[in-house]
């Protein structure tokens, strides 16, 4: 690396001296808003931003199509970095189904929170203030917001895409709690179901800013079952009743040929000139410990920018293991 490239690489020097630096272009998969390319912005108007290229074999694409035809959730498993979460965005982009609704599951996740949230305290506070001012009470719909699952079930001409990310991180009963919603495609909001007949139609907020949905007599039912992509890292088993209602897709760990294709899709053919040594190191380390494909992309991106990623400590930082103590 020459002196000019070295200076451009070391944005931070750790010497305590303030300086104004020009931030270099971000990797294609880490560009947001106005930082996206003109082509990416054009493809995003109207609608969501164009996702990164997604490579999938015809056999695995057929499994996705089976789930689409059967209107069943697609349960996607595989090692980290095999493209489980990206599959939902790829389907939404190709089929023109709009922005993906994402439900990141954790140990505290519940089906009710994913369906809707009711701000009873906020409604009480606003009602008290408006009564004190002699104004009409606020509409209850302003205090009900549908979650990602509830928004996915809003009736519409086209189905929406819902990503249920890492379901195996949720409570052991969460998959069974989802069965009724997946089977019936509808749910009840008790706070609205108890309203008198003259208030049976309520406009509520959705997961998407500025969007509202109509709820009649406290129930909301879909017209087209959403495209549901559920990801799992295989950390635990799911109940047979839940598995029976899903179409299963196991994404394999990319081999050398597929990794080269992924690098080309994301960074262009010129990046292949920098990939041989890094790919050899990546494959060797992946055989001994857990690594993800995007870690290879990070290393190739740095190398393509003139950075000596083989320097002491840098390659280890980029190709670090994903499991175990840090």
């Amino acid at each position: 690396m020459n002196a000019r490239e070295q200076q451009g690489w070391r944005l931070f020097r750790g010497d305590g001296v303030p300086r104004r630096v020009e931030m270099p272009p971000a990797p294609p998969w880490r560009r947001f808003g106005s930082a996206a390319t003109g082509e990416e912005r054009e493809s995003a108007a109207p609608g969501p931003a164009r996702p990164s290229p997604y490579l999938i074999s015809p056999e695995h694409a057929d499994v996705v199509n089976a789930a689409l035809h059967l209107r069943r959730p697609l349960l996607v498993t595989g090692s980290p970095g095999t493209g489980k979460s990206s599959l939902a965005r790829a389907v939404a982009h190709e089929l023109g189904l709009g922005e993906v609704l994402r439900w990141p599951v954790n140990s505290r996740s519940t089906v009710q929170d994913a369906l809707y949230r009711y701000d009873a305290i906020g409604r009480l506070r606003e009602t008290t203030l408006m009564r004190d001012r002699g104004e009409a009470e606020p509409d209850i719909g302003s205090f009900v917001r549908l979650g990602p699952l509830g928004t996915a079930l809003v009736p519409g001409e086209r189905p929406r895409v819902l990503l249920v990310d890492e379901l195996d991180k949720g409570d052991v009963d969460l998959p069974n709690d989802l069965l009724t919603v997946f089977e019936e495609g509808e749910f009840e909001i008790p706070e609205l179901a108890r309203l008198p007949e003259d208030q049976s139609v309520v406009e509520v907020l959705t997961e998407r800013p500025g969007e509202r949905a109509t709820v009649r007599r406290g129930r909301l039912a879909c017209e087209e079952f959403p495209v549901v992509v559920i990801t799992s890292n295989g950390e635990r088993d799911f109940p047979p009743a839940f598995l029976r209602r899903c179409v299963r897709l196991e994404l394999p760990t990319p081999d050398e040929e597929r990794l080269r294709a992924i690098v080309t899709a994301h960074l262009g053919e010129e990046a292949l000139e920098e990939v041989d040594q890094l790919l050899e190191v990546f494959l060797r380390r992946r055989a001994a410990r857990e690594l993800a494909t995007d870690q290879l992309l990070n290393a190739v991106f740095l190398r393509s920018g003139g950075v000596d990623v083989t320097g002491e400590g840098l390659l280890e930082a980029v190709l670090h293991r994903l499991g175990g103590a840090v």
Side-chain angles (χ1 to χ4, degrees), residues 191-205:
E191 292 84 356
L192 303 184
R194 292 193 291 264
L195 294 175
E197 185 65 27
D198 60 346
Q199 300 178 37
S200 60
V201 179
V202 179
E203 297 286 323
V204 301
L205 304 172

Side-chain angles (χ1 to χ4, degrees), residues 122-157:
R123 185 189 180 200
L124 177 61
R125 181 177 59 250
E126 288 296 316
T127 299
T128 301
L129 290 174
M130 297 184 80
R131 281 177 178 173
D132 292 343
R133 294 196 296 260
E135 300 175 1
E137 294 185 8
D139 179 28
I140 187 175
S142 300
F143 303 94
V144 177
R145 181 178 295 276
L146 302 180
L149 177 55
T151 302
L153 295 173
V154 172
E157 295 181 0

